[in-house]
């Protein structure tokens, strides 16, 4: 990546395109100034496919996790499997995870438990990373400092449910050139 400001598509499900179309989509986005891509999984079975894509492309990373629609696919041992997948440098986040009580594709209590298990993995990963990066700050202090940012991120995901078009209208009113093509 260059030292000038650049764009990252922080949520692009490239795994649903065939390999030739993945490369073409990335090429079109790069031609428009997008230099990085974050591809979120919707279930753990996508991990190998996502990692292959990410390792084949520069500045393409993935988030590995289980979407609330797929929460019923979570099995015993998946917490350890997720933890192991986070060791790959192309995996930069736990996701796509959350709660979706609008569609209810998975029982709400299952969604909540799977979200808690994924958060446990993410919190441990943050604590380990913070200890490596800033050994003078204890992990608990680091997590407490980050808690408001995490809450803001969760809020932003919830607000995204308001709708892409409303987001685009707000961005346009603020003078930000946001497009979805």
């Amino acid at each position: 990546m260059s030292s000038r400001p650049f764009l990252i598509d922080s949520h692009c499900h490239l795994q649903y395109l065939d390999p030739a179309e993945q490369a073409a989509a990335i090429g079109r986005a790069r031609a428009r100034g997008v230099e990085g891509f974050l591809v979120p999984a919707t279930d753990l079975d996508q991990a190998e496919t996502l990692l292959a894509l990410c390792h084949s492309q520069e500045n393409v990373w993935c988030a590995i996790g289980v979407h609330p629609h797929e929460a019923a696919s979570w099995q015993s041992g998946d917490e350890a499997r997720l933890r192991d997948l986070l060791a790959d440098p192309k995996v930069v986040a736990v996701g796509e995870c959350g709660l979706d009580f609008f569609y209810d594709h998975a029982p709400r209590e299952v969604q909540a438990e799977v979200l808690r298990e994924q958060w446990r993995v993410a919190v441990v990963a943050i604590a380990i990373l913070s200890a490596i990066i800033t050994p003078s700050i204890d992990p608990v202090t680091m997590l407490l400092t980050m808690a408001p940012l995490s809450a803001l991120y969760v809020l932003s995901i919830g607000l995204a449910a308001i709708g892409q078009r409303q987001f685009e209208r707000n961005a346009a009113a603020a003078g930000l050139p946001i497009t979805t093509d």
Side-chain angles (χ1 to χ4, degrees), residues 82 86 94 117-127 143:
L82 179 58
L86 286 174
V94 172
E117 290 192 31
Q118 291 179 93
W119 275 358
R120 276 193 290 273
V121 172
V123 166
V124 169
I126 290 168
L143 290 172

Side-chain angles (χ1 to χ4, degrees), residues 55-72:
H55 284 287
S56 73
Q57 294 280 341
E58 184 179 8
N59 300 328
V60 177
W61 305 275
C62 61
I64 301 293
V66 177
H67 187 283
H69 290 182
E70 307 300 329

Side-chain angles (χ1 to χ4, degrees), residues 12 21 26 62 67 69 110 125 133 135 155 159 169:
C12 52
E21 184 53 31
I26 290 170
C62 61
H67 187 283
H69 290 182
V110 172
I133 294 172
L155 175 63
L159 292 176
R169 285 191 291 275

Side-chain angles (χ1 to χ4, degrees), residues 8-177:
I8 294 177
D9 186 334
S10 63
H11 193 115
C12 52
H13 285 286
L14 297 172
Q15 71 269 37
Y16 296 118
L17 302 175
D18 65 56
E21 184 53 31
Q22 289 171 350
I26 290 170
R28 287 191 303 272
R30 286 187 171 144
R32 292 184 171 120
V34 180
E35 293 187 29
F37 305 85
L38 178 63
V39 185
T42 57
D43 62 49
L44 294 184
D45 289 339
Q46 294 177 345
E48 297 308 317
T49 301
L50 288 180
L51 288 171
L53 168 64
C54 293
H55 284 287
S56 73
Q57 294 280 341
E58 184 179 8
N59 300 328
V60 177
W61 305 275
C62 61
I64 301 293
V66 177
H67 187 283
H69 290 182
E70 307 300 329
S73 72
W74 189 265
Q75 302 172 20
S76 174
D78 279 350
E79 191 171 340
R81 182 177 173 201
L82 179 58
R83 191 172 23 260
D84 291 343
L85 288 164
L86 286 174
D88 190 295
K90 285 290 195 164
V91 180
V92 296
V94 172
E96 178 170 352
C97 58
L99 300 171
D100 187 335
F101 293 171
F102 183 79
Y103 292 108
D104 281 332
H105 289 297
R108 293 178 178 194
E109 61 278 0
V110 172
Q111 291 183 46
E113 181 54 34
V114 170
L115 177 60
R116 279 191 292 274
E117 290 192 31
Q118 291 179 93
W119 275 358
R120 276 193 290 273
V121 172
V123 166
V124 169
I126 290 168
I128 291 169
L129 185 59
S130 69
I132 292 168
I133 294 172
T134 55
S136 62
I137 301 174
D138 72 281
V140 173
T141 301
M142 179 68 79
L143 290 172
L144 290 175
T145 303
M146 293 175 64
L149 295 174
S150 299
L152 180 61
Y153 180 70
V154 170
L155 175 63
S156 72
I157 291 171
L159 292 176
I162 293 171
Q164 180 69 22
R165 295 292 174 218
Q166 183 61 47
F167 172 76
E168 290 171 1
R169 285 191 291 275
N170 293 348
L176 298 172

